[in-house]
Structure formats: structure tokens, C-alpha cells
Amino acid sequence: MTANEMDITQQIQEILLKAGNAINGHDSDDSDMIYSSIAEWKTSVLCVNDAGTSNSDAGDTSTPTNDAQCLRRQWYQTGYEYYQDEAKCPATVDGVLGGFAWLSQRDLKGSKHFLNHLRGIRPEFKMDREQNGGVDTYALECGAGIGRVSKGLLLPIGFSICDLVEPSQRLLSHAPQYIGSLYASRCRYFCTGLQDFVPQPDKYSIIFIQWVIGYLTDEDLVAFLKRCGLGLQKGGIIVIKDNTCTDVAFIADRQDASVTRSLPYILAIVKLAGLRLVYEKYQDDFPSTIFPVPMLALERDDCNACTH
């Protein structure tokens, strides 16, 4: 871990422990591989010791001490390679949802109800040009894949323009055709990872982040959410919709370099990013065999917390 990642980790653990929440977790493929804390998991999964050197090279005094950054890049490369592989992830709804295409319409319907309710309790949240005084409204879909959320939710519900951010050029290149002629001209496409993406300041009515935060390290997720806060126009919101675990703080997947966090864990990251929860609701019609999926509407807590 880098020094900053260690500091973020300590702050998250302090927030969780203060509220009486778990900080332990386990591996997704081997439930006997148990971690007593978030810090222990990160030290193990990133193969980095407290001195900042690779554990595999700890006996080699000639090895540079910047291995943490190299291993961070490897973390992202693992996830990137999965989504670049046509055999593992076809450029279809079923591909980007990992074989759960049958959940897509149910998911989009739940998200639509969530946004409509949010608009009812938050008049300053503007979804279409008419509500926004004749001015275009902008949406940002993060980890967009082929544009499933833009096509099925954000554009039909009224947002004028959708920006799609996706690190896989292969998936993103299929987005215009998938989205279709009715909406594709109202989309813009950005091929980059969220850890590197910087939203335009004061631009977006909504930043929609679904089933992707598990691929970001805690440090990068905090930093990205801070940038998202700066990217909101007045009255805008950030929506996080993702899997959560309940009995532990996290479940780590070493195969695709991702982590499923508990809701308190996610909210601790939200707090460190200078955001606050506006509205929360679980997708209540998913089968009990999959992870619980909350929808979180977030706003900037204060301007000072969201500065770079």
C-alpha cells in the first residue's frame, strides 16, 4: 500500500469500528482465507509489507521501494483484461452483467422508480430540459460498458446528453450500435478508467455509478468520488448502485481484482469523499441468492471537503 492508501485504510477502519461495524473479511473463492482487518487484506492481496516493498522481493535489498504503484497497476490491469476478453465478456447485456441479462429490465425499472422518487423529494434535482429551464441536462454513466444504463434509463427518463466512461475500448466501440440511432447522437464516449477520469466541473445533473466501484481501490474511489462531487451542477446527485455483503466488511476476489464491500464500508468511503447520503433504497425484487443491492443518492456535504 502507498502511504496515502494506508491512511485511507486507517480512517475507514476507525469509522467502522466507532459505529460498531465489522472490519474483517474473506476471500470469495476460499472462505477459509480470512482477513482480520481491511489493512491485513490489502497487505496480503497487494503483496506489500509495511515498508512499502513487495513481499516477494523483501529479501532483495536492491529492489526499488515503488512496488506498491506497480502492483496497483497490476490490480487494474487484471480487471481490464477480463473485460477486454470477448470470450469472458461478450459485448452484450449478458456479457457485461456476467450472465445475468435476465435481471437487466428489473434492475432498470428499480432505478427508474428510485430516480422518480428522488425527484419528488428533491425539487432541485432536474432530469430534463423543461425542468431545467430549457437548458440541457447532462448525465454521466460510469463503467458504462456498452451503455446499458444510458439506453435503458438515463436517456429515456429525460436527460439530454449522456457521457459514457469505460476503460474497455472493445466494449465502448459497441455502445453506439447497441444504444441505437434514437439516442446514440446524444451520447459522448470516454475510454479511460475511473481512477483516471476527471469529470468536468459543475456539469452533471446525475453521475450514475453501478456495479463498478469494486474495481477501484479505496484510495482511488475516495479521490474519484471527490472529483464527482466537483462535477455536479447545483442540485445534482451521485448515485451508487452496487453489490454489498452483510456479515463481513468485505469479500475479496483475487481472480478479477475486485472487492465487494459492506454498506457501512461504502458509506465510510462516501464520508471521506466529502459526500453525504440524501436517499437510500434497496432493490427489493432481486433473488435472495445474489448480493443485496442498495441504491444510494449522494450530494456534496460541503465545498471544502470536495476540493482537490
Side-chain angles (χ1 to χ4, degrees), residues 9 39 54-55 78 103 117 128 140 183 232 240 266 276 297 306:
T9 301
S54 169
N55 286 338
T78 299
L103 277 180
H117 179 78
D128 58 45
L140 176 64
Y183 292 133
L232 294 176
I240 293 177
I266 294 172
R276 63 182 174 189
C306 288

Side-chain angles (χ1 to χ4, degrees), residues 235-255:
I237 59 161
I238 298 165
V239 172
I240 293 177
K241 185 173 186 179
D242 218 302
N243 296 341
T244 56
C245 51
T246 54
D247 296 330
V248 291
F250 62 93
I251 300 174
D253 189 330
R254 291 173 295 161
Q255 299 303 312

Side-chain angles (χ1 to χ4, degrees), residues 7-8 129 164 174 255 274:
D7 182 57
I8 292 290
R129 282 176 56 93
L164 285 69
H174 285 81
Q255 299 303 312

Side-chain angles (χ1 to χ4, degrees), residues 21-255:
N21 293 307
I23 63 169
N24 64 302
H26 63 77
D27 189 83
S28 62
D29 294 324
D30 183 1
S31 58
D32 291 331
M33 185 174 289
I34 299 171
Y35 308 103
S36 63
S37 67
I38 300 167
E40 181 186 351
W41 163 64
K42 290 183 179 180
T43 300
S44 174
V45 77
L46 294 179
C47 304
V48 177
N49 59 34
D50 289 340
T53 60
S54 169
N55 286 338
S56 62
D57 297 323
D60 182 0
T61 57
S62 65
T63 301
T65 60
N66 63 351
D67 292 312
Q69 288 299 330
C70 179
L71 291 164
R72 172 181 173 273
R73 289 193 294 270
Q74 292 177 6
W75 168 273
Y76 288 117
Q77 185 66 22
T78 299
Y80 173 77
E81 289 175 354
Y82 175 87
Y83 285 102
Q84 277 291 89
D85 189 332
E86 175 71 26
K88 293 179 180 177
C89 180
T92 63
V93 172
D94 201 52
V96 297
L97 291 185
F100 286 88
W102 56 275
L103 277 180
S104 185
Q105 288 305 312
R106 194 182 304 183
D107 164 68
L108 294 168
K109 183 178 179 181
S111 297
K112 180 179 179 181
H113 288 164
F114 180 80
L115 293 186
N116 281 331
H117 179 78
L118 186 63
R119 180 173 59 178
I121 63 173
R122 187 180 172 86
E124 63 271 33
F125 173 49
K126 312 296 186 183
M127 293 200 294
D128 58 45
R129 282 176 56 93
E130 182 178 356
Q131 298 167 5
N132 202 37
V135 178
D136 281 343
T137 55
Y138 285 80
L140 176 64
E141 181 186 358
C142 300
I146 59 175
R148 184 186 70 92
V149 175
S150 291
K151 177 181 179 178
L153 173 67
L154 300 174
L155 290 163
I157 209 170
F159 291 101
S160 308
I161 306 292
C162 276
D163 289 345
L164 285 69
V165 183
E166 167 58 47
S168 169
Q169 181 62 53
R170 181 182 67 85
L171 292 177
L172 198 61
S173 67
H174 285 81
Q177 181 178 358
Y178 168 74
I179 291 171
S181 58
L182 180 63
Y183 292 133
S185 62
R186 292 163 53 189
C187 295
R188 305 186 300 179
Y189 308 94
F190 300 86
C191 187
T192 186
L194 298 183
Q195 69 274 16
D196 299 316
F197 182 71
V198 181
Q200 183 176 336
D202 304 311
K203 182 71 173 181
Y204 296 102
S205 297
I206 189 169
I207 297 177
F208 206 95
I209 311 169
Q210 181 168 3
W211 284 326
V212 69
I213 63 170
Y215 294 99
L216 292 176
T217 68
D218 291 344
E219 178 185 7
D220 286 335
L221 182 53
V222 169
F224 174 64
L225 290 176
K226 286 183 178 181
R227 297 194 298 271
C228 286
L230 292 170
L232 294 176
Q233 69 171 31
K234 184 178 180 180
I237 59 161
I238 298 165
V239 172
I240 293 177
K241 185 173 186 179
D242 218 302
N243 296 341
T244 56
C245 51
T246 54
D247 296 330
V248 291
F250 62 93
I251 300 174
D253 189 330
R254 291 173 295 161
Q255 299 303 312

